[in-house]
Amino acid sequence: LHRVDRRQRQMCIRDRNWVTDQNQRRRLKISRLALDLVGRSPTVAELQSFLQRWDWNRVVDYYIASDDFRRFYQHRIRLYLESQGTTLQDEPVRLWCYVAFNDRPFHEILTGSYTVDETMSKQTRPVYHGKTGLLTTPGFIEGKPGLPHYNYAAQVSMLFLGYRYEVPADIVEQREGVTALGTTDPSSACYSCHKILTPLAFQRNFWTDEGKYRRHDEYGLPIEASDHGMVSEYPFKGEGLESFALEAVKKERFIRTMIDTHFNFLFGRSMRYRTDERDLYRTLWDSVHEQGFTIKGLLRALVTSPEYYEDALAE
């Protein structure tokens, strides 16, 4: 009788520990999700509610619907766009967040024909902006000089199209005195980067480095803001940033970069979409198409993926 009693006690202890371990794993998952989506640990009340009725989708929806999510997501976009938090520099942040919070297609980050005020309300803007989203907001242009520095073109192509540029010291030396035309010569060492940078820089010519719109230069001469046909393979041909934006959002590069940007928010690294995470990329690609390219839909797809959840549904 003593041996049986001891065996039963051991079984009870083992079962209790198993439940504790399971709840601990769930607590860790909730904590990670809360930190990723709302930038804080879960409250005691939240943990109790979620653990009493375990449903991962319910946890995800709760945090994405919260005001804390809106505040933390806006903070992330401020960092991504390098906003200093001023009213001017926050205009592109507000536009991006308006798209995210109102389930608009994320294409409108580049092609929206509106702006967003400090109350997060959609507002009209002068027609000369066209369908350029945040690309022609003064707060985005500020601090990103155009020709002959190409900083604006580099920032846009990196942030929204996933291009990466490395400029070794010897290339910098070779660039001394090189004209814009010279950078697009296929035989030039600059060509691999400037086949994108130079045409895009020309397409921004209607906008000064201070974000002011103009049709004539300082000498009163008409400005041409086309890609100038400098690169036959340039994929965003046309006049002005509207032409660039409307072509850019059609490309896999843009959609992949939006997916990878949010993947990086959650995983702290870029997605290995060419190698071992190819299947995940395809799943996310299909999901954003099915969800109408909404950012909340993309985030849901990411945090409910086995790669994020670590296959814990099998526990």
Side-chain angles (χ1 to χ4, degrees), residues 288-305:
V288 295
H289 282 76
E290 293 165 3
Q291 298 287 334
F293 302 99
T294 64
I295 287 172
K296 289 181 185 177
L298 170 57
L299 287 169
R300 283 191 185 93
L302 279 162
V303 298
T304 57
S305 68

Side-chain angles (χ1 to χ4, degrees), residues 131-194:
K131 296 179 178 180
T132 57
L134 59 73
L135 294 174
T136 59
T137 56
F140 182 74
I141 295 175
E142 187 178 54
K144 300 178 180 68
L147 291 168
H149 302 288
Y150 301 99
N151 185 269
Y152 177 90
Q155 289 288 317
V156 169
S157 55
M158 288 191 296
L159 290 174
F160 302 109
L161 295 168
Y163 286 99
R164 294 291 178 265
Y165 304 104
E166 294 184 14
V167 188
D170 57 330
I171 297 296
V172 174
E173 292 178 8
Q174 291 180 45
R175 270 197 55 188
E176 288 294 326
V178 175
T179 64
L181 183 61
T183 63
T184 57
D185 182 342
S187 63
S188 166
C190 304
Y191 181 74
S192 61
C193 296
H194 280 267

Side-chain angles (χ1 to χ4, degrees), residues 123-268:
Q123 302 291 342
T124 59
R125 63 182 182 180
V127 294
Y128 55 70
H129 283 272
K131 296 179 178 180
T132 57
L134 59 73
L135 294 174
T136 59
T137 56
F140 182 74
I141 295 175
E142 187 178 54
K144 300 178 180 68
L147 291 168
H149 302 288
Y150 301 99
N151 185 269
Y152 177 90
Q155 289 288 317
V156 169
S157 55
M158 288 191 296
L159 290 174
F160 302 109
L161 295 168
Y163 286 99
R164 294 291 178 265
Y165 304 104
E166 294 184 14
V167 188
D170 57 330
I171 297 296
V172 174
E173 292 178 8
Q174 291 180 45
R175 270 197 55 188
E176 288 294 326
V178 175
T179 64
L181 183 61
T183 63
T184 57
D185 182 342
S187 63
S188 166
C190 304
Y191 181 74
S192 61
C193 296
H194 280 267
K195 64 184 179 183
I196 299 297
L197 294 175
T198 299
L200 175 52
F202 274 114
Q203 286 174 306
R204 205 208 80 171
N205 269 349
F206 285 145
W207 300 87
T208 69
D209 287 349
E210 293 72 40
K212 303 292 185 182
Y213 180 77
R214 59 179 184 170
R215 298 290 298 197
H216 296 82
D217 65 17
E218 58 271 28
Y219 304 106
L221 300 174
I223 293 173
E224 183 187 355
S226 73
D227 64 285
H228 289 243
M230 303 179 97
V231 179
S232 60
E233 62 186 275
Y234 182 61
F236 318 110
K237 297 180 187 296
E239 183 178 66
L241 288 173
E242 180 177 300
S243 293
F244 165 80
L246 292 175
E247 289 302 314
V249 297
K250 298 176 185 176
K251 309 301 183 186
E252 180 188 355
R253 265 190 174 274
F254 170 71
I255 297 172
R256 183 175 71 232
T257 301
M258 290 302 297
I259 292 172
D260 194 43
T261 296
H262 290 83
F263 182 95
N264 212 321
F265 287 169
L266 301 175
F267 288 82

